[in-house]
Amino acid sequence: MWDHEIRAMASTHAIIAASVFMATVLPAALVRGFSVYSTHLLWLYSVSGAVTVVSIAVFWLLGITPPTKKHTVGYKLSRLFRSCLYFFLSCLFFHAVVVLYGAPLIECALDTFSLAVLLTSLTTLRCLCVLGPNVQAWIRVFSRHGAMSVWDTCLQITVACTLVGAWVGAFPIPLDWDRPWQVWPVSCSLGATIGFLTGLVAAPAWIHYHRKQLTYKCK
Amino acid sequence: MKRLPVLWLLLWICAVYSVGIYLFVGGFLLVRLEVNRTSTCGDVLQPGEEPADFCRVRPRFRRAVLLIIDALKIDFAWFDPDNAAPRPYENKLPVLEETVASRPAHSRLYPFRADPPTTTMQRIKGFTTGSLPTFVDVGNNFASSAILEDNLIHQFGQDLHTVDNGILQHLYTTMVGDDWDVLVAHFLGVDHCGHRFGPDHPAMADKLTQMDGVIRSVIDRLQNDTLLVVMGDHGMTDTGDHGGESQKETDAAIFLYSPSPLFSSPPSQSEPDVVPQTDLVPTLALLLGVPIPYSSVGQVLLPVFPPHGQTEGAVGGLSQLEALWINAKQVNRFLETYSGMAKDIPPESLSQLKAEFSRLSSEYLATVQQGRPPPPQLAASLQAYLTSVRDTCRATWARFNPLKMAAGLVILALACLACLVLSELSDVLLREDGPGLRGPVVAALAAAVCAAAAQLRSRGHVEAVWCLAAAAFSSELLFLWRARRCGTAGGEKSGPGGAGWPTLRRLLAPHLLVPLLRCASLLSDSYVIAEGRAVTFLVFSLALYIPIRLNWDGLLLPPSHDPLKAAGILPPPALAPSTVRKEGFTLLACLGLLVGVLYLSLSFHACREEQGACQPSPFLSPLSRLQDSRLKNLHYVLSVCALALWTYLLRRFLRHYGNLNAASGAVFAARWVLPLLSVCLALYWAVSATPEDSFRNLAQLIVLAQRVLPRAAFCLVALGLSLIWLDPLTVFTKTRAAASTRSPPPPPPARYRASTGISPEAELHHLIPQIYQRMRRSLDDGELSRGAEEAGRPAVEAYGLGTVYTAPLLLLCGLLGVGLLLLHPEGMALSFLLLMLEMGALLHIHASSSTLSGPHAACAGGFNVPWTTVVLWSLAATQFFHATGHLPTFPSIQWGAAFVGFPDGHTGTVLPASLVTLNTFASHILFSVACPLLLFWPLVCEVRGGRAGRAGGEEGEDAVMEMRLRENPRQFSSALLQLSTRYLFILGAQVFASVCAAAILRRHLMVWKVFAPKLMFEASGFLVSSASLLIGVTLVLRVDVAVGRWFKRLIPDASR
Ligand SMILES: [Zn+2]
Ligand SMILES: [Zn+2]
């Protein structure tokens, strides 16, 4: 019965994944000396920018974001402002979490913050797009009975995959292999991106195979 | 409550683990007794016909240069001119072959085989020095003035050439001078290159070519009285590793050269095929005219000594036969000393060797006295004698004992399994009809006797290790078999949900995934090196998982008024929203505290030598070493504040729960001993930080105080511990009417008289709630006499009954903590405070999460401590092992702990060893002793929830806090057993993982630097932890006994 929605989701995800791909390939053609390892921050910002822009555009076009109750310009502006604020706060939050996980506090602050920006654009931004600037709804979504639509379930899966990817990405750092991708924060941001891409693939597939069990009472 | 069965089961499982560890370690680290004697020139060797044996004649050489090229395989040294397409490692050292061909009397190249005694010695000594002991010994023996030992052994990530280049500069400048006897240069580049790229790599060609140049330039600089030895300490496999026993690894090269003629005859048939490594030391000794080291079992290399009768022509020195004779006498002396000390050489071969020596000596002496030329076979028989001694020793001190290692592994694996089974079936196993320990113990005894008999029959003597192994193995098997039988029986009764086979899904659950990752990390040297941070990472991950999981189950936040409720998807909430909000807040606040503590604890780490860019914590150095006096004062103030906070928090807790009122030993300890101990410690820090020259007239006093204060603190700790043990109850009882007078209690109210006829248990059921209600009321309101509406209640008030188990345990930890802090540098007080805060945070997180999920995870009894918490607890122990400045390496042991209170040293070894052990495993001890707190804490925190929070419907007469345990003795004992076995299982799994690491990676380059020390620390940490856990559990059981007595005393009082 949700074939339509699943198809929409799959195509959305394909577009986002393509944007990640393009964000990796295009700068390589435009900027000299661009590579994922050596100019890592550039790649990172290019990916997070692309994902941000494409996600906002796609979700806005699809009209998944919950409709605003009031239609005044002032309300819309305050919503926009709150979204930006939450985006920034989420960057700070991820930065703090990453530092507490053992990232250097001062030396690589810019790298750590860039990783936080990437994580925010892969996770929080999606929450903003799907649920609007409503932290309580975000917390509610991440519970067993909290998903109220296919998009909520999809959000759960992609966010979990991204965060687990970033977490797993920290594992190779202590190894003494001397590879370029072991440098902080390359492995973590790669892990997050790979996790995100996995989530993009896994979410429609999982929903497709479990569509019988999924019941959303209210929407 | 079943006290003894719990204790016996725990003791049994600990014993089985220990047997496994003992077996493995016995097979892995072959310990041979070291003969701590040195040879001197004046030694008279038996039979003492000559006045002195060593240093008798003028030495052939005055000086020697030893170039040790690490991992110089014999294949690298050969030169094959016909080889048209040499591999990267072939034909790269042409200087050796050229010299041998052009000056045959001056030089020789042999394969050089690493020998078991050497390797064993390397293994044992490698622990303490981390260097190549044999060669350092050589250096020491020769009183060399310049040893260019490089201790950057096997540093990864280093440029291949920097290490060697550093040596080269020194080497050439030193060689020019004249102030040295023996010069040892140890080049690591070849070994390094092998490990990194393997031998078959262009880098190896470069490296060997560089070594060729080095040898050439050293040869050019040699003087006539100098001997050059170029040698490798071992070979390497095709992958570039070593440490094993294959010929590729053992066969190195040795090249001897001297500008003056060294060999009397050209290379002939009588040349040895292979020179064992042990032979170098006696040969060098006799060539340089110094005594052969006492414990050497090598034989001299004959070709470098002139045959009999040609000595006059040579520069001087010994003939072949004389050299052999001295060598044989020295080996015989060692054999006699050694066999007097250790009994591991089989007696029959020992007597055979002795007979052979006396035959040879009489023959030799007869020859010398008669002055006739020695029979040619005499030298051969002397050689044969030396060889047979060496072979006997080699057989005795063999390498790894794979059989013992395998047996240890199996026993450890089974012990882990038994521990897991014990924790899953703790309820069934403690039942009346459950399988006791009698069967396994009988089986163990029988198996031990059988093993002893079998050994006696087959070998003639009994090795106790194998009896232990048989006992442990059979008891484990029997236990598992019986547990399986009753487990299936019990599983059918209780239905599904019991312990099933782990599926992938279950393994991926974080509370199993994290210990799995932890165990896997022990198999990688990088992770062992970065263990401190890795464990912190895991603790943080698992702690974050708790609220995420609760939120996933919808338990973290109070259910909001959204349509979900109306739709009836969610079950009706079991907890009031206010309680949920409060507990959720507590949980998040404690999580914040935990995270903060975790982060701060990272700043107390020490540094391993493998960690390049690492600064050890400034708090690790004792105050007396700080130069800046302001910094010193700051550190001192901080430490004292931390200590005061530690004491204050502890007393604050006890007072809050009414445990400071009674007149018992434990309360005395809390009120007086603990503060006094802290004052003692603070004074001691002040005294030990005082520079000796600042108060000249007080110097005597300071020295005295440095001795007296710590000893007083030790005595106080001992006093406090014994008080807690003797009188652990912290319950203050008083009858309401008799609050002011000391008259006997008034006649009990009628309500109780009715119950006299019933069994004591029934009375208990009534009495406890009443007492407790009274107690809580007076605590809550702070007023002791409440209105007259309580007149019908029994007139007994008991303070501190709700925390009757927790209080003594906490007090024990507090006292122990201060005692252990005494053994640490002052700055570690902050770390100890963090440790206490982390314990508190973990306990509160556990309590809150079990309250929040309580009604949902309604297990029978409800006292079960979930795996997540236990895993966190055990990881925290490891985390604070690092955060108190310890590392799993031998050089990082804080030896200073042995001198606290004993600044002049000790006479025995037991006391310093135990002080150092206490210092090293302080965090293990504290966390293990405090482990039973996990069981009590949710009950202690229950009162916070308020009456509204508890499951409604009951009439408030319910037993509360720890009296619940008293009411459900069966669940209490099974929960206690389960908690302890879960903790032991996680510790045991870590030991098993590091044992596996040592067994699998015994050829790894880092084995003696990383894995073997890690194994030793993990194993000793396990032993210390299990002993401490037993102490904690025993204290709980002791309190239980005391509580039982207390009730017995109370009931006759109340119902008289
Ligand atoms: Zn070596
Ligand atoms: Zn090596």
Side-chain angles (χ1 to χ4, degrees):
Chain A
M1 95 186 153
W2 305 323
D3 280 353
H4 170 71
E5 270 185 310
I6 293 174
R7 212 165 296 140
M9 185 186 295
S11 44
T12 313
H13 285 185
I15 293 171
I16 297 176
S19 77
V20 171
F21 181 69
M22 294 309 280
T24 313
V25 173
L26 268 188
L30 298 176
V31 182
R32 257 157 40 91
F34 178 88
S35 83
V36 175
Y37 303 146
S38 58
T39 55
H40 183 69
L41 290 192
L42 197 62
W43 172 81
L44 202 149
Y45 282 115
S46 129
V47 166
S48 40
V51 170
T52 309
V53 171
V54 172
S55 305
I56 291 174
V58 166
F59 281 99
W60 184 64
L61 284 175
L62 279 177
I64 290 159
T65 315
T68 49
K69 283 159 201 142
K70 290 177 242 164
H71 288 276
T72 58
V73 178
Y75 183 74
K76 279 187 177 166
L77 274 182
S78 92
R79 242 176 106 82
L80 186 67
F81 172 71
R82 272 197 299 153
S83 300
C84 293
L85 181 70
Y86 282 172
F87 190 89
F88 181 66
L89 285 181
S90 152
C91 289
L92 288 186
F93 173 76
F94 276 120
H95 186 100
V97 168
V98 171
V99 165
L100 288 173
Y101 257 116
L105 180 63
I106 298 160
E107 288 116 73
C108 307
L110 180 65
D111 305 76
T112 311
F113 191 75
S114 311
L115 177 66
V117 170
L118 179 74
L119 286 175
T120 304
S121 62
L122 296 185
T123 58
T124 314
L125 184 84
R126 220 176 153 79
C127 293
L128 276 171
C129 289
V130 176
L131 300 168
N134 179 355
V135 177
Q136 273 188 337
W138 298 358
I139 295 173
R140 192 251 311 147
V141 160
F142 292 102
S143 69
R144 185 170 295 159
H145 305 287
M148 290 201 270
S149 74
V150 185
W151 289 102
D152 288 358
T153 311
C154 166
L155 183 69
Q156 288 175 353
I157 294 172
T158 47
V159 167
C161 284
T162 310
L163 294 182
V164 169
W167 185 70
V168 171
F171 287 13
I173 294 175
L175 293 172
D176 55 3
W177 298 345
D178 290 336
R179 298 293 150 85
W181 46 266
Q182 283 180 299
V183 180
W184 175 253
V186 179
S187 58
C188 280
S189 46
L190 281 185
T193 315
I194 293 169
F196 180 67
L197 294 176
T198 316
L200 290 184
V201 175
W206 192 87
I207 292 171
H208 180 75
Y209 285 111
H210 292 80
R211 59 188 186 277
K212 297 267 162 50
Q213 289 99 303
L214 287 174
T215 45
Y216 303 110
K217 277 291 159 65
C218 35
K219 169 99 189 198
Chain B
M1 162 153 202
K2 296 190 145 184
R3 298 184 201 105
L4 283 181
V6 172
L7 212 53
W8 284 128
L9 279 169
L10 285 178
L11 269 176
W12 173 74
I13 201 85
C14 290
V16 170
Y17 268 123
S18 315
V19 170
I21 292 172
Y22 179 61
L23 260 175
F24 183 86
V25 170
F28 185 67
L29 311 171
L30 290 164
V31 183
R32 83 170 167 91
L33 271 175
E34 284 212 50
V35 181
N36 275 331
R37 299 214 195 150
T38 44
S39 306
T40 56
C41 273
D43 283 359
V44 178
L45 298 171
Q46 292 301 325
E49 297 291 323
E50 297 94 346
D53 291 290
F54 303 134
C55 335
R56 184 149 46 101
V57 283
R58 199 163 66 85
R60 288 267 299 278
F61 293 99
R62 195 164 66 82
R63 304 189 293 187
V65 177
L66 261 74
L67 296 186
I68 303 165
I69 299 178
D70 211 296
L72 180 69
K73 201 178 174 179
I74 183 64
D75 298 3
F76 299 171
W78 296 132
F79 187 83
D80 180 10
D82 304 332
N83 192 345
R87 308 191 68 84
Y89 59 87
E90 283 173 342
N91 286 1
K92 290 299 178 301
L93 292 172
V95 59
L96 305 181
E97 190 63 31
E98 280 169 19
T99 320
V100 170
S102 61
R103 314 184 74 181
H106 297 255
S107 58
R108 209 65 49 97
L109 174 67
Y110 298 110
F112 189 45
R113 185 163 291 165
D115 238 13
T118 325
T119 331
T120 314
M121 230 155 66
Q122 280 179 354
R123 280 180 202 159
I124 296 163
K125 281 205 183 162
F127 279 134
T128 44
T129 59
S131 56
L132 288 162
T134 329
F135 305 123
V136 175
D137 283 357
V138 176
N140 290 342
N141 249 309
F142 289 116
S144 64
S145 58
I147 294 184
L148 295 176
E149 258 271 326
D150 192 296
N151 53 11
L152 288 170
I153 299 185
H154 307 318
Q155 273 270 356
F156 264 103
Q158 279 252 347
D159 176 50
L160 285 183
H161 296 289
T162 44
V163 178
D164 291 350
N165 290 347
I167 301 178
L168 279 181
Q169 286 169 1
H170 268 83
L171 181 65
Y172 297 146
T173 48
T174 317
M175 274 186 77
V176 172
D178 202 37
D179 51 346
W180 54 278
D181 298 324
V182 173
L183 197 57
V184 183
H186 188 177
F187 294 94
L188 289 160
V190 174
D191 180 58
H192 198 110
C193 183
H195 287 300
R196 196 135 168 217
F197 305 112
D200 214 355
H201 190 277
M204 185 61 90
D206 294 348
K207 198 68 223 178
L208 289 173
T209 310
Q210 186 204 7
M211 286 298 126
D212 188 67
V214 169
I215 297 167
R216 277 178 203 278
S217 50
V218 170
I219 286 179
D220 288 346
R221 283 160 220 242
L222 281 184
Q223 290 167 6
N224 271 342
D225 59 350
T226 312
L227 174 71
L228 169 69
V229 182
V230 179
M231 60 194 223
D233 56 339
H234 47 75
M236 61 171 74
T237 61
D238 293 338
T239 55
D241 293 318
H242 58 85
E245 23 202 290
S246 71
Q247 202 183 339
K248 282 182 174 162
E249 290 158 275
T250 54
D251 276 14
I254 186 168
F255 170 77
L256 299 166
Y257 171 81
S258 162
S260 58
L262 179 61
F263 296 90
S264 52
S265 57
S268 64
Q269 290 303 95
S270 62
E271 291 286 307
D273 296 335
V274 144
V275 177
Q277 236 175 40
T278 41
D279 294 1
L280 178 69
V281 173
T283 310
L284 278 184
L286 291 187
L287 284 179
L288 292 170
V290 294
I292 302 178
Y294 201 97
S295 310
S296 158
V297 289
Q299 63 172 279
V300 291
L301 189 60
L302 275 193
V304 298
F305 294 98
H308 192 75
Q310 292 182 14
T311 28
E312 289 74 33
V315 191
L318 303 154
S319 74
Q320 288 185 352
L321 195 62
E322 282 168 328
L324 273 177
W325 171 237
I326 294 176
N327 192 352
K329 286 200 288 184
Q330 169 264 331
V331 165
N332 176 58
R333 176 180 67 164
F334 167 71
L335 199 64
E336 276 178 355
T337 318
Y338 184 80
S339 59
M341 286 162 64
K343 301 290 173 214
D344 52 1
I345 299 178
E348 57 268 31
S349 47
L350 198 62
S351 56
Q352 220 170 4
L353 286 174
K354 277 186 182 157
E356 174 71 7
F357 178 75
S358 54
R359 189 183 68 77
L360 286 173
S361 64
S362 57
E363 194 176 332
Y364 176 85
L365 290 175
T367 321
V368 170
Q369 275 161 7
Q370 290 159 19
R372 61 187 155 98
Q377 80 276 7
L378 184 54
S381 350
L382 277 172
Q383 268 185 301
Y385 166 73
L386 288 170
T387 311
S388 59
V389 170
R390 196 184 55 218
D391 289 347
T392 310
C393 290
R394 181 185 297 170
T396 314
W397 308 322
R399 292 146 195 252
F400 297 121
N401 189 336
L403 201 60
K404 272 190 195 172
M405 281 164 68
L409 268 175
V410 169
I411 288 177
L412 268 181
L414 283 179
C416 286
L417 188 63
C419 206
L420 188 64
V421 167
L422 206 52
S423 77
E424 294 301 321
L425 299 176
S426 60
D427 192 29
V428 184
L429 288 171
L430 281 179
R431 249 185 244 151
E432 300 294 338
D433 55 339
L437 263 186
R438 200 167 295 139
V441 167
V442 170
L445 286 179
V449 171
C450 287
Q455 283 186 31
L456 266 183
R457 273 194 67 132
S458 61
R459 284 197 268 164
H461 64 280
V462 180
E463 213 177 336
V465 183
W466 289 112
C467 300
L468 280 177
F473 186 68
S474 59
S475 72
E476 276 171 344
L477 278 190
L478 192 67
F479 173 81
L480 285 174
W481 181 66
R482 294 178 67 167
R484 191 182 136 78
R485 257 199 356 197
C486 84
T488 46
E492 279 155 20
K493 264 183 240 165
S494 63
W501 282 108
T503 58
L504 185 66
R505 214 193 166 83
R506 282 177 67 144
L507 280 182
L508 277 181
H511 63 261
L512 279 179
L513 182 67
V514 166
L516 265 181
L517 284 176
R518 162 86 182 122
C519 290
S521 78
L522 292 174
L523 291 164
S524 153
D525 54 331
S526 309
Y527 283 114
V528 175
I529 289 170
E531 189 187 37
R533 307 206 100 194
V535 169
T536 313
F537 180 90
L538 288 180
V539 172
F540 187 42
S541 305
L542 197 57
L544 274 192
Y545 165 73
I546 292 177
I548 291 175
R549 172 81 207 186
L550 280 174
N551 186 47
W552 178 252
D553 290 334
L555 299 168
L556 186 61
L557 295 177
S560 52
H561 293 284
D562 53 16
L564 280 178
K565 216 176 193 176
I569 294 176
L570 289 179
L575 293 174
S578 64
T579 316
V580 174
R581 208 167 292 133
K582 202 171 147 197
E583 291 293 325
F585 177 74
T586 316
L587 189 131
L588 292 180
C590 287
L591 189 71
L593 178 66
L594 174 69
V595 167
V597 166
L598 281 178
Y599 190 74
L600 288 180
S601 77
L602 286 179
S603 54
F604 291 93
H605 283 202
C607 290
R608 289 179 74 111
E609 73 180 272
E610 291 91 348
Q611 293 171 312
C614 170
Q615 279 293 320
S617 162
F619 296 102
L620 271 171
S621 56
L623 281 186
S624 47
R625 297 227 192 108
L626 283 183
Q627 296 302 323
D628 186 359
S629 69
R630 275 181 60 195
L631 195 65
K632 191 188 256 187
N633 289 342
L634 180 71
H635 273 208
Y636 181 73
V637 169
L638 276 179
S639 306
V640 171
C641 285
L643 181 66
L645 206 58
W646 168 284
T647 315
Y648 170 75
L649 284 177
L650 209 65
R651 284 189 47 139
R652 172 72 218 268
F653 175 89
L654 295 177
R655 176 171 304 131
H656 180 76
Y657 286 100
N659 291 108
L660 281 187
N661 299 319
S664 75
V667 175
F668 180 80
R671 289 177 81 99
W672 300 109
V673 176
L674 184 64
L676 204 59
L677 185 60
S678 309
V679 170
C680 229
L681 190 51
L683 282 179
Y684 170 63
W685 286 343
V687 166
S688 59
T690 315
E692 267 158 30
D693 48 353
S694 58
F695 302 104
R696 236 165 243 297
N697 36 0
L698 291 180
Q700 290 268 304
L701 197 66
I702 288 174
V703 170
L704 186 71
Q706 274 187 347
R707 185 189 308 267
V708 169
L709 281 173
R711 292 190 184 181
F714 289 140
C715 291
L716 281 176
V717 172
L719 174 72
L721 296 187
S722 49
L723 280 178
I724 294 175
W725 177 258
L726 290 175
D727 195 3
L729 277 196
T730 51
V731 181
F732 176 55
T733 331
K734 69 170 183 181
T735 50
R736 190 156 47 104
S740 49
T741 65
R742 294 222 174 151
S743 61
R751 231 178 120 179
Y752 266 97
R753 214 168 278 152
S755 62
T756 39
I758 321 172
S759 67
E761 275 87 320
E763 279 182 335
L764 276 181
H765 275 268
H766 280 277
L767 189 64
I768 303 161
Q770 307 291 344
I771 292 172
Y772 188 69
Q773 292 306 322
R774 297 291 317 209
M775 183 204 107
R776 206 177 36 151
R777 219 163 271 128
S778 38
L779 263 185
D780 284 352
D781 320 1
E783 45 182 299
L784 293 179
S785 57
R786 202 93 182 286
E789 82 271 12
E790 311 282 347
R793 300 288 174 97
V796 182
E797 289 169 354
Y799 294 85
L801 195 57
T803 48
V804 67
Y805 295 105
T806 309
L809 200 57
L810 211 58
L811 197 55
L812 176 73
C813 293
L815 280 174
L816 266 184
V818 180
L820 293 172
L821 180 55
L822 177 64
L823 302 175
H824 280 79
E826 295 86 348
M828 284 299 118
L830 294 168
S831 168
F832 270 69
L833 183 68
L834 290 183
L835 184 146
M836 181 192 244
L837 291 179
E838 178 161 331
M839 269 190 184
L842 283 176
L843 287 169
H844 275 296
I845 289 175
H846 165 53
S848 297
S849 71
S850 59
T851 312
L852 284 172
S853 57
H856 294 263
C859 316
F863 301 135
N864 297 357
V865 181
W867 276 109
T868 315
T869 314
V870 185
V871 171
L872 273 176
W873 198 256
S874 68
L875 286 182
T878 313
Q879 181 217 333
F880 270 100
F881 171 75
H882 287 269
T884 44
H886 299 287
L887 290 170
T889 58
F890 287 93
S892 69
I893 292 177
Q894 299 177 359
W895 298 108
F899 299 101
V900 173
F902 302 91
D904 307 329
H906 301 261
T907 47
T909 52
V910 179
L911 190 61
S914 43
L915 285 179
V916 170
T917 310
L918 286 175
N919 161 285
T920 307
F921 297 108
S923 131
H924 289 84
I925 293 172
L926 286 177
F927 274 95
S928 308
V929 166
C931 188
L933 285 181
L934 288 173
L935 174 60
F936 303 129
W937 212 262
L939 302 167
V940 170
C941 292
E942 185 178 52
V943 77
R944 279 184 305 142
R947 293 181 61 90
R950 255 170 292 115
E954 290 167 43
E955 346 156 337
E957 297 295 313
D958 196 12
V960 271
M961 290 171 76
E962 289 174 3
M963 285 304 105
R964 278 182 200 282
L965 294 169
R966 183 88 204 143
E967 287 218 318
N968 305 302
R970 228 190 70 188
Q971 278 96 330
F972 181 21
S973 39
S974 79
L976 190 62
L977 181 64
Q978 187 187 45
L979 173 66
S980 323
T981 43
R982 279 185 174 177
Y983 191 67
L984 281 179
F985 171 73
I986 293 166
L987 295 182
Q990 290 179 22
V991 175
F992 182 67
S994 56
V995 161
C996 283
I1000 297 167
L1001 302 171
R1002 61 184 186 282
R1003 283 156 183 261
H1004 191 276
L1005 115 97
M1006 288 299 201
V1007 72
W1008 301 114
K1009 274 244 155 201
V1010 173
F1011 294 112
K1014 179 66 197 153
L1015 166 69
M1016 293 310 290
F1017 274 83
E1018 200 65 53
S1020 1
F1022 177 84
L1023 296 180
V1024 173
S1025 298
S1026 55
S1028 319
L1029 182 70
L1030 282 175
I1031 291 174
V1033 171
T1034 316
L1035 181 68
V1036 171
L1037 301 179
R1038 167 80 185 92
V1039 176
D1040 195 59
V1041 171
V1043 173
R1045 283 210 196 114
W1046 184 77
F1047 273 115
K1048 233 175 228 157
R1049 218 174 46 225
L1050 203 67
I1051 292 164
D1053 274 7
S1055 53
R1056 194 183 302 146

